[in-house]
Amino acid sequence: MKLIIQIPCLNEAETLEIALNDLPKHIDGIDEIEYLIINDGSQDNTVEVAKNWGVHYVVNFKQNKGLAKGFIAGLDACLSNGADIIVNTDADNQYCGEDIEKLVRPILDGKADVVIGERPIDDTEHFSPLKKKLQHIGSWTVRIASKSDIPDAPSGFRAYSREAAMRLNVVNKYTYTLETIVQAGHERFAMTSVPIRTNAELRESRLFSSMFGYIKKSMVTIVRSFMMYKPLTFFGGIGVVLFLIGLLLGIRYLIFIVMGTAGGHVQSLILASTLMMMGFMTGIIGLQADIIAANRKILEDIQYHVRKIDYDNGTGEKKQENMEG
């Protein structure tokens, strides 16, 4: 059983060694532990620090491509190098390395394919009250969209089985954390969470420049993911609401006709007709989107089998120290 721990990095020379030193060297049930970093266009000596420490693999981007792109590239590299379990953690040592054993245990026991670390958000001192509240609201929204019970959706401390990693896709350019949970819920992956600890903050988060930016990007990601995996529910719900509002206005106009006072309410008839037409067309869009989603599912299955043939039969590039992206 082989575990590869991957770490996305962007100018992490000052904190990377601290994070690496905190990683486990042995876990019961794991025969081999290796380490991989994703260098997302760093301008400092992040790669040198990693190589001097003894990191086995480096996925190297010449320019910054974002957390989501780096995450998927890391998964591909881990799979290519024979990982049975992949753990993703941060280069700023936010998460306690000893808790990686907690993450991989449900996978080793055959109880889960995706395990997400649940941070003690309310007890984290460097989280402002507003950020704590937004974290809870965001996680609740993701639970609704994914029909899962993951309490800490934005957590980047997570483990994937080989099977789950080969099925993952991320299309947004912002972050993988929310979209992958929605996808996992839609695909009915065996997914769970475990409580983890966090370390003192070494630097401020670089994922977003402002709270407003974080909220906007997170909501766009959640809505887009829900549209991708549940298009008929999304568009159908909107269409039903529009159609019912139009229908109620139409019934109201008919009542005015019966009462003989419809003359001054022609605008209601026009609005009712418009809303009912919009509702009907939105429903048609939902049906079309659902057909597209079915085709996407077929493509995802094809991609999974191609990956399985590639990685399991050893046709992928293996044991590369520096993988250019």
Side-chain angles (χ1 to χ4, degrees):
M1 183 67 68
K2 183 176 182 178
L3 165 66
I4 297 183
I5 302 172
Q6 70 171 34
I7 308 177
C9 297
L10 174 61
N11 299 325
E12 304 288 2
E14 294 183 2
T15 61
L16 180 57
E17 188 171 358
I18 298 173
L20 289 169
N21 288 334
D22 197 43
L23 298 179
K25 307 301 184 295
H26 171 77
I27 296 175
D28 290 341
I30 299 292
D31 302 312
E32 187 178 2
I33 300 178
E34 294 182 340
Y35 312 92
L36 175 148
I37 71 162
I38 303 105
N39 174 39
D40 195 12
S42 297
Q43 300 299 312
D44 61 4
N45 61 334
T46 293
V47 174
E48 287 74 11
V49 170
K51 289 182 177 180
N52 291 337
W53 187 86
V55 165
H56 298 81
Y57 314 108
V58 176
V59 176
N60 191 49
F61 291 157
K62 295 177 181 178
Q63 62 180 10
N64 180 259
K65 294 189 177 182
L67 187 58
K69 188 78 172 180
F71 172 75
I72 291 298
L75 288 187
D76 285 341
C78 290
L79 291 169
S80 179
N81 286 282
D84 297 297
I85 301 176
I86 301 168
V87 166
N88 188 87
T89 187
D90 283 357
D92 61 357
N93 202 40
Q94 175 186 171
Y95 308 109
C96 182
E98 291 182 359
D99 289 340
I100 287 178
E101 183 170 4
K102 292 183 181 179
L103 282 181
V104 302
R105 187 57 53 192
I107 298 177
L108 290 172
D109 293 341
K111 297 178 179 179
D113 286 310
V114 179
V115 184
I116 298 173
E118 177 189 355
R119 297 168 294 177
I121 293 174
D122 292 329
D123 298 326
T124 304
E125 295 182 358
H126 60 269
F127 281 7
S128 67
L130 177 59
K131 185 173 181 179
K132 292 177 182 179
K133 189 68 175 177
L134 291 174
Q135 292 276 5
H136 288 306
I137 293 173
S139 295
W140 174 82
T141 306
V142 172
R143 286 197 296 273
I144 297 299
S146 63
K147 293 186 178 180
S148 69
D149 58 355
I150 301 301
D152 186 10
S155 173
F157 195 45
R158 47 183 68 189
Y160 296 92
S161 69
R162 183 175 183 83
E163 186 76 8
M166 284 196 288
R167 290 191 176 276
L168 282 182
N169 287 291
V170 178
V171 298
N172 82 88
K173 298 179 181 180
Y174 172 52
T175 179
Y176 62 91
T177 56
L178 308 179
E179 182 179 338
T180 50
I181 293 178
V182 175
Q183 181 189 0
H186 176 72
E187 298 291 342
R188 298 185 182 276
F189 290 175
M191 183 167 49
T192 189
S193 66
V194 295
I196 59 164
R197 296 163 291 172
T198 55
N199 298 315
E201 186 178 34
L202 297 180
R203 60 163 174 77
E204 294 184 357
S205 173
R206 297 172 181 166
L207 188 57
F208 56 91
S209 57
S210 67
M211 193 62 67
F212 175 76
Y214 171 73
I215 296 171
K216 182 179 71 172
K217 290 181 179 180
S218 296
M219 290 308 300
V220 168
T221 299
I222 294 170
V223 171
R224 185 179 183 186
S225 298
F226 190 70
M227 288 171 60
M228 284 181 56
Y229 295 105
K230 295 287 186 179
L232 188 57
T233 300
F234 182 84
F235 290 105
I238 295 175
V240 167
V241 171
L242 292 173
F243 189 87
L244 287 178
I245 294 174
L247 182 62
L248 290 174
L249 289 173
I251 293 173
R252 175 175 174 266
Y253 184 76
L254 290 176
I255 293 173
F256 285 137
I257 291 177
V258 172
M259 295 173 62
T261 59
H265 298 279
V266 177
Q267 298 90 339
S268 296
L269 178 61
I270 296 173
L271 180 59
S273 302
T274 302
L275 288 173
M276 291 176 69
M277 183 62 69
M278 289 175 61
F280 178 77
M281 294 305 298
T282 303
I284 295 298
I285 291 172
L287 290 173
Q288 292 176 331
D290 192 57
I291 294 172
I292 293 172
N295 289 332
R296 191 200 69 252
K297 173 61 179 173
I298 295 172
L299 292 174
E300 286 179 347
D301 287 341
I302 293 172
Q303 181 188 54
Y304 164 74
H305 287 294
V306 169
R307 283 175 171 173
K308 194 171 182 63
I309 293 171
D310 185 20
Y311 297 136
D312 290 354
N313 292 348
T315 58
E317 292 296 326
K318 292 191 174 184
K319 298 299 179 185
Q320 294 182 338
E321 184 182 56
N322 189 53
M323 305 174 188
E324 295 289 339

